[in-house]
Structures are given as C-alpha cells and as structure tokens.
Amino acid sequence: MGTREALARASFERRLEQALDEGELDLDARTFPAARRRFVQHWLATAQPVFEGRALLAAVLPVMEESAAAPVDTAEPLRWLLEQIGKGVTLTQAGYLPRERECLISTGLAR
C-alpha cells in the first residue's frame, strides 16, 4: 500500500467512525448492510483531499480502464506439462517430473 492509499484508508476510517458516533450508521439495524454500501459508495464519489480534491473513483478509473498487456502465451508451461503426461513421462523417485534440459527449454525456464 502506498502513501496515498494509506491516507485514503485512514480518511475513510475516520469518516466511518464519525458516522457511527453520530448515529448516521447503526450497526444493530437490519438495514446496516445496505446503508454501509451506500455510505461507501458516497465516500468513494466524494472529493477527497488526498487525491487533489478528486473523488477516489475519479482518481483510479483511468488506471482501471487501461488494458493490461497479457503475456503472449501464459498457457505454455501447462501445455508442456500436459504433453509430457500424454507421452507417459516417468516421474523421478521423489515423484517429480524429470529435470531434463530439453524440458526446461520448452518451458522457457532454461538459463
């Protein structure tokens, strides 16, 4: 957690304690879960000094909208494992897959 995140969390905790102390939120009420959700949504959409007066959602939405570049082939190690199993690979005495250099190269783990 970075400094700004820690400050945002502390700010929210103070506001939540204030709401509980002042009776805005009643922990014993049947409606507490719904009231809590509305309270959090309101806080997230309210301007926060920690984020230069912007709402927390406004500060993080651009980051969330950026698409994360996925690795080209994240299934390659699993594909290799399944191929080895399909070939009837013999496990070591300890029950591991053999650590052959050829196997390591196919997974991209060779050094």
Side-chain angles (χ1 to χ4, degrees):
M1 181 182 307
T3 305
R4 291 176 65 183
E5 291 87 357
L7 291 171
R9 180 180 175 150
S11 174
F12 176 74
E13 288 173 349
R14 280 191 304 276
R15 179 64 187 102
L16 180 59
E17 287 177 16
Q18 179 186 12
L20 291 168
D21 290 344
E22 294 176 359
E24 280 181 69
L25 291 173
D26 182 6
L27 289 173
D28 298 325
R30 281 184 317 123
T31 58
F32 178 72
R36 180 186 59 209
R37 280 190 297 278
R38 285 191 305 274
F39 180 83
V40 171
Q41 288 169 347
H42 180 266
W43 187 84
L44 289 171
T46 302
Q48 301 296 324
V50 175
F51 295 100
E52 292 86 37
R54 290 189 297 162
L56 182 59
L57 285 179
V60 297
L61 280 178
V63 175
M64 293 173 67
E65 290 173 353
E66 294 175 6
S67 62
V72 176
D73 190 1
T74 57
E76 182 57 36
L78 180 58
R79 188 174 297 113
W80 170 84
L81 175 63
L82 294 173
E83 287 171 0
Q84 297 304 308
I85 293 170
K87 293 177 185 174
V89 68
T90 304
L91 298 179
T92 65
Q93 285 183 332
Y96 297 104
L97 287 171
R99 295 198 59 142
E100 301 168 2
R101 180 155 179 76
E102 185 177 307
C103 296
L104 294 174
I105 291 171
S106 69
T107 62
L109 298 174
R111 293 181 189 169

